[in-house]
């Protein structure tokens, strides 16, 4: 694999609306982000991904862009954005913007012009398609529910929207549209961005015959995903984008990809792939319902671990994945992946340990570093998210009680991750002096940055230690390029793997195999082990000379967990350790 500048970095996702408000309007802003760059640097962050900050009506919280060249007024000005870039540069940090190019906002000038002239040039930027027998051209259900087709007023045409009706899909078949987008991407890269997180990109290729599919729900519709999965040739678009934009700047790109065809991984993220990397959503997909929240579930620890392991093994043969436990579309990782008894600081540190050292680049989502959690609401009106409202309706339609539907929201809503960042226990959580746009999670009085900043055994302090260890000169090579090798797979509740660098990485030091004398020196073997179970568990290590580099036990600098003289380590429930073998 070709080495890249970003391989050894740690990234952090900012959801600007909920990060920090500096003018009291209840909405996070660019000034707020600038003022926290030192906080992020201190945490160990190198790359910042900003969820969309472009001008937008915010129907889908900025993922509906009405002007790609403007900063949303709510967030600030282009001057402030430039200042943000300059300030990150000063600190040796990098900025990624969100690239939302499957669709734009219905308020975008292109779409407004298309509506005025439904057979003219700008209609060709979208999918304006004649209806069939006075009905929609096909039976697609949009991601946010209901038909993916909306009538174009005054015509027998419909326009396609895979997401909300206020997010019309762009027509990538149109070379003029593509040129407009490339020009825009290059305009931003010229400003000095390091690259982009690329939104919903798998959707850009359509089957222009728009075939209907077998209905998969009581609404008689079929998920528009079906079309995405059936259509061929999306890779040609990706290559075209790359050649005309990213490649010229050596930009870093992380793609949001669901529903990729199995054999396409190398084309996507291999050496010279379409993208630098893509998010590994395997664990998230596992927890999602087949057809919606009313059949989402909590996977068993074993299923969850095995899914991650399988994905790691596959990924490391091909490319370099981006690993997350949560983002702005997912519930909080601590609430979702930790068993009830582990939903505490020890458990959160354990989850952090097992995820940060996985093979790939970690993306930490704002608030994850202090262990923010899902947030319970009493009524659907307390939610803002368009997708949550849809899923709630669906659950009721499927016969769920109001209470049950709200429970699904508590477990799955995207708003769980979107509640404002908890900076302190003061009114407004240090997020705003005004009324927050989305109500705070009431637990900000206990879980907040201020309380954790100087506490030696806080989740925040632990994250700093983890990230510092990950990039420490002695171990960086292993944590970045070391092979991922699972271990103790038959021990109940244990989530353990090695990162092994050096020559004979296939054999060196793994539990149950003899380390080959002499070759051990050339390699480094670091075991990351965690006990997600309820009972203490003793692990016999491969060598006797292990050293604990970090553990979440106790308050001391490196933790208090020790390796016995006989070469074993006992992990209590919710304990994790990083061991140099
Ligand atoms: O998400 C794309 C995506 O596939 C979503 O359907 C995701 O599965 C959904 O959020 C789950 O409810 C991206 C963005 O991350 C998301 O915030 C946007 O709403 C969406 O694209 C449209 O731009
Ligand atoms: Ca503000």
């Amino acid at each position: 694999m070709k080495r890249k500048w970003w391989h050894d970095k740690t990234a952090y996702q900012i959801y600007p609306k909920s990060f920090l408000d500096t003018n009291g309007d209840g909405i996070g802003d660019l000034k707020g982000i600038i003022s926290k760059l030192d906080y992020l640097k201190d945490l160990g962050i190198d790359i910042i991904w900003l969820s969309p900050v472009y001008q937008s009506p915010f129907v889908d919280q900025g993922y509906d862009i009405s002007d790609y060249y403007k900063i949303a007024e709510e967030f600030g000005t282009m001057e402030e954005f430039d200042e943000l870039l300059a300030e990150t540069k000063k600190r040796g940090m990098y900025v990624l913007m969100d690239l939302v190019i499957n669709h734009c906002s219905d308020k975008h000038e292109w779409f407004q012009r298309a509506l005025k002239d439904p057979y003219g040039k700008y209609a060709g930027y979208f999918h304006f398609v004649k209806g069939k027998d006075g009905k929609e051209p096909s039976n697609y259900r949009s991601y946010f529910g209901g038909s993916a087709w909306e009538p174009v007023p005054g015509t027998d045409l419909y326009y396609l929207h895979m997401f909300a009706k206020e997010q019309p899909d762009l027509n990538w078949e149109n070379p003029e549209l593509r040129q407009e987008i490339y020009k825009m991407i290059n305009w931003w890269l010229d400003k000095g961005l390091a690259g982009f997180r690329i939104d919903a990109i798998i959707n850009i290729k359509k089957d222009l015959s728009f075939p209907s599919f077998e209905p998969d729900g009581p609404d008689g519709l079929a998920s528009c995903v079906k079309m995405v999965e059936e259509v061929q040739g999306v890779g040609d678009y990706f290559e075209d984008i790359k050649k005309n934009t990213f490649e010229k700047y050596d930009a870093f790109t992380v793609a949001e990809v669901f529903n990729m065809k199995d054999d396409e991984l190398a084309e996507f993220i291999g050496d010279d792939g379409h993208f630098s990397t893509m998010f590994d959503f395997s664990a998230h997909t596992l927890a999602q319902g087949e057809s919606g929240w009313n059949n989402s579930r909590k996977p068993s620890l074993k299923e969850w671990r095995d899914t991650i392991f399988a994905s790691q093994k596959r990924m490391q043969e091909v490319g370099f994945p981006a690993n997350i436990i949560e983002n702005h579309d997912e519930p909080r990782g601590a609430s979702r992946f930790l068993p009830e008894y582990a939903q505490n600081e020890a458990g959160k540190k354990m989850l952090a340990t097992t995820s940060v050292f996985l093979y790939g680049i970690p993306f930490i989502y704002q608030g994850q570093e202090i262990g923010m959690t899902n947030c319970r609401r009493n009524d659907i009106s307390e939610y803002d998210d368009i997708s949550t409202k849809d899923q709630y309706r669906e659950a009721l339609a499927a016969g769920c009680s109001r209470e049950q539907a709200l429970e699904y929201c508590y477990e799955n809503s995207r708003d769980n991750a979107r509640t404002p960042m908890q900076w302190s226990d003061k009114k407004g959580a240090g997020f705003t002096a005004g009324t927050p746009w989305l109500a705070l999670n009431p637990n900000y009085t206990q879980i907040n940055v201020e309380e954790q900043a100087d506490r030696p055994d806080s989740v925040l302090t632990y994250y700093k230690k983890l990230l510092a260890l990950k990039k420490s000169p002695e171990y960086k090579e292993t944590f970045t390029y070391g092979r991922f090798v699972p271990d103790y797979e038959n021990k109940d509740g244990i989530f353990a793997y090695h990162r092994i660098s050096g020559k004979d990485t296939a054999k060196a030091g793994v539990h149950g195999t003899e380390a080959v004398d002499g070759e051990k020196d050339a390699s480094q073997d670091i075991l990351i082990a965690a006990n997600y179970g309820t009972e203490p568990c003793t692990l016999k290590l491969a060598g006797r000379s292990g050293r604990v580099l970090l553990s979440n036990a106790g308050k001391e600098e490196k933790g208090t967990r020790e390796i016995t003289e006989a070469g074993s380590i006992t992990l209590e429930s919710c304990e994790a350790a990083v061991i140099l073998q």
Side-chain angles (χ1 to χ4, degrees):
M1 187 177 54
K2 286 187 203 156
R3 296 199 164 198
K4 294 285 165 56
W5 65 267
W6 51 271
H7 281 161
D8 59 1
K9 305 283 184 279
T10 298
Y12 186 93
Q13 181 189 353
I14 291 183
Y15 196 69
K17 200 166 181 181
S18 299
F19 191 62
L20 180 60
D21 169 28
T22 57
N23 65 349
D25 65 356
I27 297 174
D29 42 51
L30 292 178
K31 278 193 176 153
I33 298 174
I34 297 171
S35 74
K36 289 296 178 187
L37 290 177
D38 287 332
Y39 166 81
L40 295 174
K41 181 79 191 171
D42 187 44
L43 173 59
I45 302 305
D46 309 293
I47 300 174
I48 295 168
W49 152 28
L50 300 178
S51 271
V53 293
Y54 312 86
Q55 179 183 294
S56 165
F58 287 91
V59 169
D60 185 21
Q61 295 307 346
Y63 285 89
D64 47 326
I65 297 171
S66 56
D67 191 334
Y68 287 99
Y69 293 93
K70 290 212 173 100
I71 296 292
E73 265 179 25
E74 293 85 342
F75 293 157
T77 64
M78 191 61 80
E79 289 66 41
E80 284 161 3
F81 182 82
D82 292 339
E83 188 189 334
L84 170 65
L85 278 182
E87 289 298 319
T88 46
K89 209 166 174 197
K90 262 191 216 162
R91 291 165 177 81
M93 297 164 91
Y94 307 83
V95 176
L96 310 178
M97 284 180 92
D98 218 304
L99 188 61
V100 189
I101 51 177
N102 173 67
H103 46 269
C104 61
S105 160
D106 62 339
K107 297 294 177 308
H108 193 289
E109 192 190 344
W110 297 337
F111 192 73
Q112 288 297 314
R113 287 193 176 189
L115 287 183
K116 285 206 189 89
D117 183 7
Y119 298 94
K121 168 179 162 167
Y122 287 99
Y125 278 30
F126 300 91
H127 295 287
F128 278 33
V129 179
K130 225 167 146 33
K132 281 186 189 140
D133 314 320
K135 288 211 301 254
E136 291 80 4
S138 72
N139 67 345
Y140 304 157
R141 182 189 312 108
S142 77
Y143 286 107
F144 295 152
S147 171
W149 296 100
E150 190 68 15
V152 175
T155 69
D156 59 355
L157 301 171
Y158 291 77
Y159 72 86
L160 178 72
H161 62 90
M162 309 269 279
F163 293 88
K165 68 177 189 323
E166 295 86 353
Q167 294 168 296
D169 279 50
L170 292 166
N171 178 6
W172 276 80
E173 208 67 42
N174 182 337
E176 269 181 278
L177 177 273
R178 291 206 299 270
Q179 288 312 316
E180 292 263 22
I181 299 283
Y182 300 160
K183 191 177 86 188
M184 178 274 290
I185 294 175
N186 292 332
W187 187 83
W188 284 103
L189 288 171
D190 280 331
K191 270 186 175 290
L193 287 185
F196 292 96
R197 174 267 186 183
I198 310 178
D199 186 70
I201 195 66
I202 199 81
N203 299 287
I204 66 174
K205 177 83 189 185
K206 322 292 192 230
D207 180 339
L208 296 180
S209 70
F210 298 111
S212 281
F213 295 104
E214 195 59 41
D216 59 17
D219 55 5
L221 302 176
S223 167
C224 60
V225 168
K226 184 79 181 149
M227 187 266 286
V228 172
E229 286 173 348
E230 298 277 310
V231 74
Q232 301 292 328
V234 70
D236 298 339
Y237 287 157
F238 296 163
E239 273 313 287
D240 201 47
I241 305 177
K242 183 178 132 184
K243 281 209 199 73
N244 283 285
T245 63
F246 312 138
E247 197 171 69
K248 301 191 198 172
Y249 297 80
D250 195 21
F252 170 62
T253 54
V254 48
E256 185 204 27
V257 177
F258 292 95
N259 313 101
M260 187 191 62
K261 295 176 180 65
D262 276 347
D263 55 359
E264 282 178 338
L265 192 58
E267 283 162 49
F268 276 54
I269 60 163
D271 276 342
D272 304 315
H274 307 312
F275 309 107
S276 310
T277 180
M278 60 191 242
F279 292 112
D280 181 3
F281 291 118
S282 52
H284 304 79
T285 316
L286 179 72
Q288 264 156 26
E290 270 291 303
S291 63
W293 291 356
N294 52 331
N295 50 41
S296 63
R297 67 201 179 91
K298 199 152 185 162
S300 73
L301 169 64
K302 187 169 158 26
E303 260 182 305
W304 173 64
R305 182 200 66 179
D306 291 352
T307 299
I308 294 174
F309 283 6
S311 179
Q312 285 271 294
K313 285 194 237 168
R314 203 162 68 100
M315 292 278 190
Q316 72 178 347
E317 300 308 328
V318 175
F320 204 87
N323 297 316
I324 61 160
I325 64 169
E326 64 204 47
N327 68 21
H328 68 293
D329 290 336
E330 305 289 339
R332 290 287 180 177
S335 304
R336 182 186 224 170
F337 297 120
L338 289 173
E340 205 72 40
Y341 56 82
Q343 300 212 1
N344 49 41
E345 289 211 323
K348 290 169 185 176
K349 293 181 212 168
M350 170 173 71
L351 181 60
T353 315
T354 48
S355 85
V356 158
F357 294 115
L358 288 174
Y359 171 78
I361 172 170
F363 273 70
I364 291 165
Y365 179 71
Q366 70 182 42
Q368 180 185 323
E369 76 276 23
I370 54 170
M372 283 177 63
T373 67
N374 283 359
C375 181
R376 217 173 262 287
R377 307 290 199 198
N378 298 315
D379 192 82
I380 189 64
S381 62
E382 294 171 43
Y383 286 96
D384 167 272
D385 171 38
I386 185 167
S387 167
T388 305
K389 290 181 175 159
D390 167 54
Q391 291 289 339
Y392 178 81
R393 271 192 306 268
E394 296 264 316
L396 294 184
C400 290
S401 67
R402 181 181 166 276
E403 286 68 33
Q404 185 59 59
L406 279 174
E407 188 63 22
Y408 290 137
C409 295
Y410 168 62
E411 282 162 12
N412 299 293
S413 171
R414 309 199 295 183
D415 278 352
N416 283 307
R418 298 177 181 185
T419 60
M421 180 69 185
Q422 296 167 195
W423 295 103
S424 77
D425 65 359
K426 312 273 158 11
K427 187 169 175 286
F431 162 73
T432 183
T435 308
W437 73 275
L438 182 68
L440 294 159
N441 188 325
N443 69 13
Y444 73 92
T445 50
Q446 291 98 52
I447 301 175
N448 62 71
V449 172
E450 197 175 76
E451 191 280 325
Q452 297 193 19
D454 300 318
R455 179 157 60 82
D457 63 344
S458 72
V459 177
L460 179 58
T461 306
Y462 189 78
Y463 260 98
K464 286 187 205 169
K465 289 193 221 170
L466 278 182
L467 299 183
L469 177 61
K470 186 174 185 297
K471 63 171 66 156
S472 63
E474 284 160 281
Y475 308 117
K476 184 161 139 173
E477 172 72 17
T478 304
F479 286 133
T480 309
Y481 296 109
R483 260 193 101 64
F484 167 89
V485 182
D487 206 353
Y488 306 101
E489 285 179 272
N490 296 327
K491 287 241 183 217
D492 249 12
I494 293 295
F495 187 126
Y497 59 91
H498 298 254
R499 298 300 307 279
I500 302 175
S501 62
K503 287 203 196 87
D504 193 8
T505 54
K507 275 198 250 147
V510 182
H511 174 72
T513 66
E514 289 295 314
V516 187
D517 267 352
E519 282 187 23
K520 184 91 204 264
D521 289 348
S523 65
Q524 205 171 53
D525 177 353
I526 301 177
L527 172 69
I528 293 95
N531 182 3
Y532 281 78
T534 47
E535 300 304 317
C537 182
T538 300
L539 304 177
K540 176 94 187 70
L541 303 177
R544 288 184 176 210
S545 54
R547 184 151 66 85
V548 176
L549 300 177
L550 183 64
S551 99
N552 66 346
K555 295 182 199 259
E556 284 73 21
E557 186 57 27
K558 288 199 161 55
T560 49
R561 202 42 64 206
E562 298 269 321
I563 295 169
T564 66
E565 274 184 27
S568 63
I569 186 166
T570 299
L571 298 174
E572 301 290 326
S573 170
C574 294
E575 274 186 14
V578 182
I579 301 158
L580 178 67
Q581 299 236 79

